[in-house]
Amino acid sequence: MPDLLLTQDDNFDKKKTCMKNIKFVLLIVTASILFWSCGEETLDSKSIFDNDEQVMNEFDQWLYTNFTVPYNIEFKYRFDDKESNTNYNLTPARLDKSVALAILVKHLWIDVYEELLGKEFLSKYSPRLFHLIGSPAYNSQGSIILGTAEGGLKVTLYNVNMIDVENPDIDMLNYWYFKTMHHEFAHILHQTKSYTTDFNLISATDYQSGSWVNIGDDEALQMGFVSPYGSSESQEDFVEVLAVYVTNTDEYWQSMLEVAGDEGAAKITQKFHIVEDYLKSSWNIDITELREIVIRRSAEVETMDLTKLN
Amino acid sequence: MNDNYKNMKKIRNITFLLGIILFFSCNPVEENLFEDSSSIRISKALQDTHDVLTNAENGWLMEYFPSSQQTYGGFNVLAKFSDAEVTITSEIADYDTTEKSSFSLKQSAGPVLTFDTYNEIFHTFSDPNSSKSGLGDNGVGMGGDFEFLILKSTQDSVILKGKKTGNRIIMTPIQSGTDWGAYVEELQEASEIMAFKNFEYHVAGQIIPVRVSYRSLIMTYTNEEGNEVTVSAPYIQTLTGYKLYQPLTILGVTVEAFNYGKEGDTEYFTPVNGTDARLVAVFPPLNQTLVSGDWFFAFSGLGSFGKTYWNHAKVNGLDAIGEVLYYAYLGTHSDGKYAFSFASAFGSSLYGGALHFNYELIDENKVKYSFALTGAGDGVWYYNNAQFVYLIYPLYGGSNKTFTLTADNEKDPSWILLTDDSDPDNTIKLFANQIIWPFSN
């Protein structure tokens, strides 16, 4: 009965030896299986994902040189269902309108930030994709969408087909596109670095959610919002302050404050100071300098030829 | 120990068996079902489709049906594809204009053809701004597609499926030598000649009344089971007649397309496949035409009697509440009842409603109207608060009124004039086309 004499430890050691043997056998078996089974498989050097080949036209080439290479931005002017919101009925953008908008985006947006902060800032924080849509997106409450941003990566610009290429109306362009782009870019900034929650307290009980469509311009100002859309919720409020401020003259801003009345103006000014401090401390952006550049460049649009790529 | 040892043994045996199984199950050479990778096959399929599209030297005739219900019927679109550009014309545009834009072929859920930059002609069907086509609700428009799954592509035909609507769209090559402009002009002429509002469909020994809505034949009949059914058969205009979106089977008789014909004063269509059936154009009496359609008011169409009453409603009703009448018509309101139906604009908001009317048809050209004293939507509100009783008073004069009807063209009137039998100053001209802002028109 030698087995009975074994101690606990011996038993354990024995087990270890067995395990070693098993491991060894397993290793041999596995190795031989692998050796036989995979002998003749080779990998195809071509990727299976690269299907959408497109002939590059002059515009594509220009975009590649001016947007993609320096800033890693894709400017998608062709309608792409994968990038579109299928809840809406939309149309593609016209080619000539897309060309005009690309020239304008470069002049009034990319070059603005580059002038202020250098190339690196945009190549790091700019949305990676701009997608153009010819029509507006119509909401069921009767409002229309001008632009949307998703997670700091993508900005969609709507209603591109209404741009007048021959006689660009800078106020309209600022309202439709550049205010929208500063608005969306501001979302990217605050999604990257948060602003103080003190901002949310200024109009805490006044936010309207979807009912913002029922608020008139003057009414919004008197409530302490720079625009009706700003009254929808605090994040929109925050980015609207930035967008409205940088795309309008000081004269306009002062007239807004006048319409707003004492109470409204106080709230707007309080919000503005938070935005101003946030941009300075988090991004080293002087908002007034930013506005000066935007306004100077806006004035230059009148003499630009929006039909020629150079 | 014993247990342990048994376990070891078991594991060893299992490992050994596993080794054998794996060794035999693993066939060293994988047979590929296809010669090339999926990527190469997709690229090749797209390239083949591209070749098919561009090889048709005089382009393709596209039978395009917008709207997921094909509500508006079909439209002929002519499309010529080159490397990355497509040239488009259509019967909805001037016959001698073409528009260029881009197209792409790409892989999505299968090969997809997309018209991916805006084309003034082609995207009319999908533009959500309803003023572009004049049809549909704002935000929807005609509800057409510009992205299509390619179901089949050969040099004889390409079959597409709209991504949103699921509508089947057939393209056939246009014969070389066919002049696009002349072809479109012929189509437009055919469409004018073959425009009817009502038919009688003679089929299987029955006569079924047919109403035309846009390019759809709406038929209501009693089927083999004895149930009353309504079918809608969308069609597209051809040079010789109508081609249906899908085969129409009524009482066992199937038709795919009709040819137009005319004998004396009778205009009719017969099935292209020779089946025994006949679609005969009928022109209902004028009073029937009036009550079966929607006929729009314009201030300029009112006689002196009506103008006085409408002015009163404007000054004391609409102006007082800061609204402007957006449209008003006599016809079927959205509740399905015959009514004076209207919309009133307050800023950019529209409020709609109706005041119900009863009618009695007398002979072929007289109608007797009386107010039903009920309303729908905001109808009663406007009756009580915006003096709308003055808008409808000329129609019934407090109890009822009988009118004699005349029109510019009895077969296809663009307007109908109602003349009050008891007061020649009370005339009302109603229009077939929608009149927006009736007080300014």
Side-chain angles (χ1 to χ4, degrees):
Chain A
M1 308 261 286
D3 277 351
L4 288 173
L5 295 173
L6 285 171
T7 63
Q8 195 74 14
D9 279 340
D10 284 335
N11 193 8
F12 190 62
D13 274 341
K14 186 89 175 158
K15 202 174 173 185
K16 258 189 178 168
T17 321
C18 287
M19 292 292 264
K20 268 184 197 155
N21 287 339
I22 290 170
K23 274 187 190 156
F24 183 70
V25 171
L26 265 176
L27 199 69
I28 302 255
V29 169
T30 318
S32 45
I33 290 166
L34 286 173
F35 177 75
W36 274 304
S37 63
C38 302
E40 303 198 14
E41 286 287 344
T42 53
L43 287 175
D44 194 332
S45 62
K46 284 179 194 129
S47 160
I48 63 157
F49 295 110
D50 191 20
N51 286 317
D52 292 347
E53 289 169 37
Q54 208 118 54
V55 192
M56 273 234 212
N57 61 28
E58 189 200 354
F59 184 36
D60 295 322
Q61 196 61 55
W62 186 89
L63 290 171
Y64 184 72
T65 313
N66 289 283
F67 284 65
T68 314
V69 172
Y71 307 106
N72 191 19
I73 294 172
E74 185 179 7
F75 194 83
K76 203 167 232 183
Y77 65 95
R78 289 162 177 262
F79 190 91
D80 186 348
D81 60 319
K82 292 184 210 109
E83 303 291 355
S84 312
N85 189 332
T86 50
N87 293 330
Y88 297 104
N89 293 291
L90 305 170
T91 53
R94 271 181 68 105
L95 182 63
D96 56 343
K97 313 273 186 184
S98 305
V99 167
L101 188 54
I103 295 171
L104 287 165
V105 164
K106 180 163 163 43
H107 188 76
L108 285 179
W109 198 74
I110 289 183
D111 291 352
V112 165
Y113 284 100
E114 182 164 332
E115 189 180 328
L116 188 67
L117 299 156
K119 201 162 245 163
E120 212 167 289
F121 178 75
L122 270 194
S123 53
K124 196 165 175 189
Y125 294 110
S126 160
R128 297 280 82 97
L129 172 69
F130 287 90
H131 190 213
L132 308 193
I133 304 290
S135 63
Y138 292 80
N139 279 323
S140 52
Q141 318 104 299
S143 61
I144 52 176
I145 295 177
L146 311 185
T148 53
E150 284 165 32
L153 284 177
K154 184 175 113 180
V155 168
T156 308
L157 295 172
Y158 293 90
N159 212 11
V160 173
N161 291 349
M162 64 98 74
I163 297 177
D164 185 342
V165 176
E166 299 297 327
N167 300 298
D169 173 348
I170 188 63
D171 290 338
M172 186 280 283
L173 290 167
N174 263 330
Y175 177 71
W176 271 102
Y177 300 109
F178 297 101
K179 187 182 142 230
T180 306
M181 286 178 60
H182 290 289
H183 172 114
E184 301 303 350
F185 190 51
H187 275 309
I188 291 175
L189 295 182
H190 79 68
Q191 282 160 10
T192 310
K193 298 182 187 175
S194 310
Y195 57 84
T196 168
T197 48
D198 291 351
F199 185 94
N200 306 343
L201 304 175
I202 300 171
S203 290
T205 55
D206 294 335
Y207 289 113
Q208 305 289 315
S209 188
S211 310
W212 70 270
V213 289
N214 300 323
I215 306 279
D217 288 350
D218 291 358
E219 194 185 346
L221 289 169
Q222 284 150 15
M223 289 166 76
F225 299 107
V226 293
S227 70
Y229 188 51
S231 74
S232 61
E233 50 133 333
S234 64
Q235 290 194 349
E236 301 302 338
D237 194 9
F238 183 85
V239 301
E240 278 290 283
V241 170
L242 187 154
V244 169
Y245 185 81
V246 301
T247 52
N248 287 292
T249 59
D250 188 49
E251 222 180 340
Y252 180 86
W253 186 262
Q254 295 308 329
S255 71
M256 267 175 45
L257 293 180
E258 243 166 68
V259 175
D262 290 346
E263 206 180 319
K267 285 184 179 174
I268 291 173
T269 306
Q270 208 180 338
K271 288 174 187 174
F272 171 72
H273 286 310
I274 292 182
V275 172
E276 188 183 31
D277 288 347
Y278 164 79
L279 287 176
K280 194 74 209 165
S281 60
S282 296
W283 301 100
N284 198 26
I285 292 174
D286 179 338
I287 192 170
T288 305
E289 199 184 338
L290 176 63
R291 178 172 72 177
E292 277 165 15
I293 299 174
V294 168
I295 287 170
R296 169 169 48 76
R297 285 179 165 272
S298 295
E300 289 161 10
V301 168
E302 221 167 281
T303 57
M304 287 167 66
D305 183 350
L306 301 181
T307 61
K308 283 207 179 66
L309 297 165
N310 47 36
Chain B
M1 170 62 214
N2 257 338
D3 275 0
N4 268 332
Y5 186 70
K6 270 186 206 158
N7 281 341
M8 295 302 149
K9 238 178 150 181
K10 227 184 255 171
I11 292 175
R12 210 176 289 166
N13 290 342
I14 290 170
T15 312
F16 183 66
L17 277 174
L18 200 69
I20 292 173
I21 292 165
L22 285 174
F23 178 75
F24 284 109
S25 66
C26 201
N27 187 343
V29 184
E30 284 269 359
E31 290 282 337
N32 280 331
L33 189 52
F34 301 101
E35 248 174 55
D36 296 323
S37 77
S38 59
S39 152
I40 292 175
R41 280 179 289 122
I42 289 162
S43 300
K44 192 173 174 310
L46 293 178
Q47 187 56 48
D48 287 350
T49 307
H50 188 271
D51 291 346
V52 166
L53 290 177
T54 52
N55 282 350
E57 58 182 70
N58 201 20
W60 297 82
L61 177 67
M62 190 178 202
E63 295 169 17
Y64 184 97
F65 285 80
S67 153
S68 51
Q69 303 297 313
Q70 305 97 37
T71 307
Y72 310 105
F75 299 87
N76 291 283
V77 173
L78 285 70
K80 174 151 173 51
F81 298 87
S82 65
D83 255 358
E85 214 172 41
V86 59
T87 307
I88 301 264
T89 189
S90 167
E91 56 176 319
I92 63 162
D94 288 340
Y95 68 89
D96 54 356
T97 54
T98 56
E99 278 281 334
K100 281 185 179 177
S101 55
S102 66
F103 75 96
S104 297
L105 287 163
K106 59 185 183 184
Q107 174 61 23
S108 184
V112 165
L113 167 63
T114 163
F115 297 78
D116 56 5
T117 58
Y118 193 83
N119 185 297
E120 290 294 339
I121 297 173
F122 191 73
H123 290 94
T124 301
F125 300 114
S126 41
D127 202 315
N129 182 350
S130 61
S131 64
K132 174 79 181 169
S133 61
L135 294 169
D137 292 332
N138 216 19
V140 181
M142 294 175 84
D145 275 297
F146 58 90
E147 297 181 302
F148 308 92
L149 291 169
I150 301 163
L151 301 186
K152 177 194 155 194
S153 66
T154 66
Q155 58 179 13
D156 301 325
S157 72
V158 173
I159 298 179
L160 306 173
K161 183 180 172 187
K163 266 187 94 170
K164 274 196 169 180
T165 62
N167 289 354
R168 196 184 73 258
I169 284 161
I170 299 172
M171 300 206 298
T172 46
I174 300 167
Q175 277 191 342
S176 58
T178 300
D179 179 75
W180 276 26
Y183 184 75
V184 169
E185 200 180 8
E186 274 181 65
L187 272 173
Q188 288 168 338
E189 281 167 11
S191 158
E192 223 165 273
I193 293 168
M194 300 175 206
F196 301 100
K197 289 201 164 70
N198 296 88
F199 293 103
E200 280 175 349
Y201 189 40
H202 298 246
V203 64
Q206 287 202 29
I207 297 177
I208 296 166
V210 180
R211 182 169 68 80
V212 181
S213 169
Y214 302 104
R215 287 182 170 180
S216 271
L217 306 172
I218 317 282
M219 309 188 174
T220 303
Y221 68 102
T222 307
N223 67 9
E224 289 96 330
E225 285 87 48
N227 302 319
E228 190 178 89
V229 288
T230 297
V231 293
S232 170
Y235 66 84
I236 186 167
Q237 182 72 48
T238 66
L239 290 181
T240 54
Y242 301 157
K243 183 179 173 190
L244 301 177
Y245 177 67
Q246 55 192 9
L248 170 73
T249 303
I250 287 189
L251 302 171
V253 178
T254 301
V255 178
E256 285 164 3
F258 289 103
N259 279 333
Y260 168 81
K262 186 174 184 182
E263 277 166 29
D265 273 349
T266 310
E267 292 173 274
Y268 58 89
F269 291 80
T270 48
V272 172
N273 62 9
T275 311
D276 186 20
R278 188 176 260 242
L279 194 61
V280 183
V282 293
F283 302 95
L286 202 50
N287 53 10
Q288 186 67 49
T289 304
L290 175 67
V291 298
S292 60
D294 295 339
W295 294 89
F296 287 84
F297 287 87
F299 187 75
S300 64
L302 300 171
S304 57
F305 183 87
K307 278 192 172 123
T308 309
Y309 278 85
W310 274 51
N311 258 330
H312 182 92
K314 180 177 182 297
V315 175
N316 301 292
L318 286 159
D319 289 356
I321 58 168
E323 296 195 14
V324 185
L325 193 63
Y326 186 66
Y327 65 70
Y329 67 83
L330 265 180
T332 309
H333 185 65
S334 55
D335 62 355
K337 291 185 178 160
Y338 194 73
F340 172 86
S341 179
F342 65 88
S344 180
F346 178 68
S348 59
S349 303
L350 283 182
Y351 298 92
L355 295 165
H356 298 137
F357 268 78
N358 297 319
Y359 62 78
E360 189 185 319
L361 302 183
I362 302 163
D363 299 333
E364 293 206 331
N365 65 340
K366 281 183 194 291
V367 65
K368 185 164 143 189
Y369 280 130
S370 58
F371 179 34
L373 297 169
T374 57
D378 290 327
V380 174
W381 190 91
Y382 280 89
Y383 182 88
N384 290 331
N385 298 287
Q387 309 275 341
F388 271 31
V389 62
Y390 285 87
L391 293 183
I392 59 170
Y393 190 83
L395 288 168
Y396 76 107
S399 57
N400 63 69
K401 274 185 180 296
T402 302
F403 295 92
T404 301
L405 313 180
T406 48
D408 56 340
N409 168 5
E410 294 225 352
K411 284 187 173 179
D412 185 17
S414 68
W415 54 258
I416 297 177
L417 181 70
L418 288 67
T419 305
D420 187 345
D421 282 1
S422 63
D423 180 358
D425 285 339
N426 183 20
T427 56
I428 301 164
K429 192 191 258 187
L430 299 170
F431 298 86
N433 287 332
Q434 188 178 42
I435 309 275
I436 301 292
W437 312 120
F439 275 103
S440 316
N441 281 290

